Amino acid sequence: MTEQSFPAMSGSLVEPQPVVVAPKFWRRAAPMLTAATLVAGLFGGVTGAVIASPDSPATSTSVAAQTISNTSTLDWSAVASEVLPSVVQVNVGNGLGSGVVLSADGKILTNNHVVASAGGQITVKFNDGRELPATVVNTDASSDLAVLQVSGASGLTPIKWADSGSVKVGDAVMAIGSPSGLQGTVTTGIVSALDRKVTVPGESRRASSVSYQAIQTDASINPGNSGGALVNAAGELVGINSAIYSPASSSGEAGSVGIGFAIPSNTAKQIVEKLS
């Protein structure tokens, strides 16, 4: 499979190129609902973008064409009700991202770029309104994942895991998180493609780029969704939301255009076992 990644182009006469970006986590200093202007790294702290050639044909490494699942009969309200207690908001300084509950005693999975530049207090806000301090247990920059531990947490509802290897193009999915600081937001869509190569350059010359094979979805994902859940119609985690594609000429202008990416749950589960 050919990776659709090219160096960023500069110069005022160059036609703006579509970019795959990790939108920077939403900053509360920005006006509500205009946070898309603050996008930079995969919904968290990583700045930079992967340039996708607009002339390259979109490739799916799964099936060239499949019948799209009929989502009209799904009870998404029941799915949301079940999963929302397992999705949290991760507050980092003047910014925020999302996360999923791993254990009843407060282990949380999120994107590394959400907490990479924390440098101070991290708190986790739950769906019931509680907000508790948290610390970083471990991170893996190469996979853009991190595990947190919430202090004083108990009786939480861990996310249910799905086998991402069984996910098919056309499957119905729901994204849950805190886009633009709007906690508990849910959006629905389908799996658009599988094994999509996503690469985000490091924030600086010293920082390594992040690459992984992602699940592509048209469920709306925006800054603040980083680290949140992508679940199937059974309310099981199939991926960790982490990046979006945008036709903007820079990551700072990026917002959802219906092309989002999630780290597959099987990949995330393997990393969690190493980090916990």
Side-chain angles (χ1 to χ4, degrees), residues 42-259:
L42 278 160
F43 305 98
V46 177
T47 57
V50 175
I51 306 303
S53 169
D55 301 320
S56 300
T59 57
S60 168
T61 56
S62 176
V63 179
Q66 289 192 17
T67 302
I68 302 303
S69 301
N70 183 356
T71 62
S72 62
T73 59
L74 294 175
D75 186 355
W76 284 122
S77 62
V79 175
S81 179
E82 179 180 356
V83 181
L84 278 169
S86 302
V87 181
V88 302
Q89 180 172 298
V90 179
N91 300 308
V92 182
N94 67 339
L96 59 84
S98 302
V100 298
V101 177
L102 295 176
S103 65
D105 63 353
K107 275 196 170 55
I108 305 295
L109 176 64
T110 187
N111 283 139
N112 176 64
H113 67 256
V114 170
V115 298
S117 58
Q121 185 180 28
I122 300 174
T123 62
V124 169
K125 186 176 181 181
F126 297 93
N127 188 60
D128 62 8
R130 288 181 297 162
E131 187 169 355
L132 297 172
T135 56
V136 176
V137 174
N138 214 337
T139 65
D140 182 16
S142 65
S143 66
D144 194 26
L145 293 171
V147 173
L148 311 179
Q149 176 63 57
V150 178
S151 301
S154 63
L156 304 181
T157 304
I159 196 81
K160 294 179 181 178
W161 293 79
D163 175 10
S164 58
S166 65
V167 172
K168 301 183 296 296
V169 172
D171 282 352
V173 287
M174 172 183 280
I176 306 177
S178 296
S180 300
L182 301 173
Q183 185 174 11
T185 295
V186 304
T187 56
T188 61
I190 61 167
V191 171
S192 305
L194 298 171
D195 298 323
R196 187 73 79 191
K197 182 66 177 288
V198 173
T199 300
V200 178
E203 186 174 2
S204 66
R205 291 183 179 180
R206 287 182 259 181
S208 300
S209 61
V210 176
S211 297
Y212 51 87
Q213 304 297 126
I215 295 172
Q216 182 181 326
T217 179
D218 68 348
S220 181
I221 298 173
N222 285 286
N225 272 121
S226 288
L230 185 71
V231 300
N232 59 22
E236 301 165 330
L237 186 73
V238 297
I240 298 295
N241 298 320
S242 57
I244 60 173
Y245 170 98
S246 174
S249 59
S250 71
S251 59
E253 301 170 3
S256 175
V257 293
I259 305 176

